[in-house]
Amino acid sequence: MPGFELFGELERNEVNDVLDNGVLMRYGFDGMRNGHWKAKALESELQTTFQSKHVQLVSSGTAAVSVALASAGVGAGDEVIMPTFTFVASFEAIMLLGAIPILVDIDDTLGLSPEAIEAVITPKTKAVMVVQMCGSMAKMDAIQRICNNHNLLLVEDACQAIGGTYKGKPLGSIGDLGCFSFDFVKTITCGEGGAVITNNKEYYTNSDHYSDHGHDHIGNDRGAESHPFLGYNFRISELHAAVGLAQVKRLPEFLEIQKRNFGILRDALSIIPEVTFRTVPEGGEESCAFLNFFLPDLETTRTVIEGFKNDGVDACWNYYDNTWHYIRKWDHLKDLKSLFPISKEVKEGLEYLQTKTFEKSDHYIARNISCLIKLSWTEEEVRDRAAKMVAAIKKAL
Ligand SMILES: *Cc1c(COP(=O)(O)O)cnc(C)c1O
């Protein structure tokens, strides 16, 4: 997945344009910038990439999720349904707005289970946040239907699935709002950065203003702009946008390499009858940023991970004991360890985490191995890796 593996001349040239005129900020300073508007140019490129009418760049993927929710009016006391398997950013972004994350099970797609969503809908539910983990997608038709039936906002976190598609649509562009991250380890990187995409003009205008202190961005005198509502600073800098602008132009090349490497590994593992792969909904195409497969049980999975380590097969994880991506080890969330007081509503809203169990998620995550697909591997290296993986799995079975 990581775009940083293929960092070079193109990225340097774009950054040098910015350094040459010294305008590091995305707004204003028109006279000094010699026509360089890197953030605007990247937004325009991303409109095409994501087939979306509007794109708002922000400072991170986490900021993108908060800005997306805020721009659609999600806030204090609202419940947002999210999966147990994701990145900690999901609940951070929800809680920043005073909203309540409602965690529910995933299914064999490794994404939100439609049945689990329906089971927790209450009058307080405002949004469903689907997270397209590890390059693939949840059952989007069923989830979209639930959202339509219950009049819920659908927010799509596609931070890990840039380039994946569902029925021909880029992941991230299916829900009411989509979120992307361009942090250092994502498929394309800005160093730090993120984006909110939407076809809804009002959500876009809100995210444009909200991510820059509520500035209305009318006219060319920043100091004189009015503030239709309160905002924060989630701006991206021109330096970061410049790196992203070079990277996004290479996305087709990155995706092709990912697909080749993924295909070699998947073909090799598929000869082992005990290995099964995550379900990809019909009409879906993975971005191939990760290869995910299941083994018969947790013990075998742990042995295989150990075997991979011993044989130098890096960048493969089992998330069961992972502190960043899975509910089991999110003690700081369960214990509500916060630097500052948390509202009574959120405290009460999260009490369910003391007792709720997630057997269905455990069933999939305990047996899953997720392998990062790197861009820098040669074909020979991938074949060698495939052979080592097959040998380690066979030995553990
Ligand atoms: C990386 C990531 C984020 C957060 O992105 P940052 O840019 O690091 O803040 C959010 N959600 C998912 C699924 C991610 O993988």
Side-chain angles (χ1 to χ4, degrees), residues 15 42 77 81 117 132 171 250 333 381:
V15 172
L42 178 53
I81 295 171
I117 295 173
Q132 316 291 27
L171 296 181
R250 306 175 70 180
L333 172 66
E381 282 169 337

Side-chain angles (χ1 to χ4, degrees), residues 8 14 17 54 95 173 176 198 211 213 215 224 237 249 252 284-286 293 300 308 312 345 351 376 382 397:
E14 294 288 357
D17 280 346
H54 309 287
M95 290 172 71
S173 73
D176 298 294
T198 183
S211 59
H213 305 293
H215 272 276
S237 82
K249 290 175 182 161
E285 273 213 39
E286 297 181 69
F293 58 94
T300 313
F308 282 180
E345 268 174 324
E351 269 168 16
S376 54
V382 188
L397 286 168

Side-chain angles (χ1 to χ4, degrees), residues 173-186:
S173 73
I174 299 157
D176 298 294
L177 293 132
C179 308
F180 290 92
S181 164
F182 309 119
D183 77 22
F184 195 52
V185 296
K186 297 302 201 282

Side-chain angles (χ1 to χ4, degrees), residues 271-346:
I271 59 160
I272 307 172
E274 290 88 349
V275 168
T276 53
F277 297 94
R278 84 190 298 174
T279 298
V280 178
E282 203 183 317
E285 273 213 39
E286 297 181 69
S287 76
C288 299
F290 295 84
L291 174 67
N292 283 273
F293 58 94
F294 301 108
L295 291 162
D297 52 55
L298 177 61
E299 205 190 319
T300 313
T301 309
R302 283 184 170 145
T303 311
V304 169
I305 287 283
E306 214 37 53
F308 282 180
K309 275 194 189 128
N310 295 337
D311 295 342
V313 177
D314 64 345
C316 289
W317 302 278
N318 168 250
Y319 288 115
Y320 196 62
D321 296 318
N322 182 284
T323 56
W324 289 54
H325 294 285
Y326 191 49
I327 173 80
R328 281 184 74 244
K329 300 280 174 174
W330 290 340
D331 293 337
H332 63 314
L333 172 66
K334 294 179 208 166
D335 300 340
L336 273 185
K337 293 223 169 108
S338 172
L339 285 177
F340 47 83
I342 286 183
S343 78
K344 194 163 160 279
E345 268 174 324
V346 173

Side-chain angles (χ1 to χ4, degrees), residues 1 59-65 85-90 92 129 131-134 157-161 179-186 191-194 324-325:
M1 166 158 91
S59 51
S60 72
T62 314
V65 181
F85 175 51
T86 174
F87 180 50
V88 287
S90 302
E92 293 169 354
M129 190 203 296
V131 184
Q132 316 291 27
M133 280 299 275
C134 304
D157 175 340
C159 291
Q160 292 194 10
C179 308
F180 290 92
S181 164
F182 309 119
D183 77 22
F184 195 52
V185 296
K186 297 302 201 282
E192 298 282 1
W324 289 54
H325 294 285

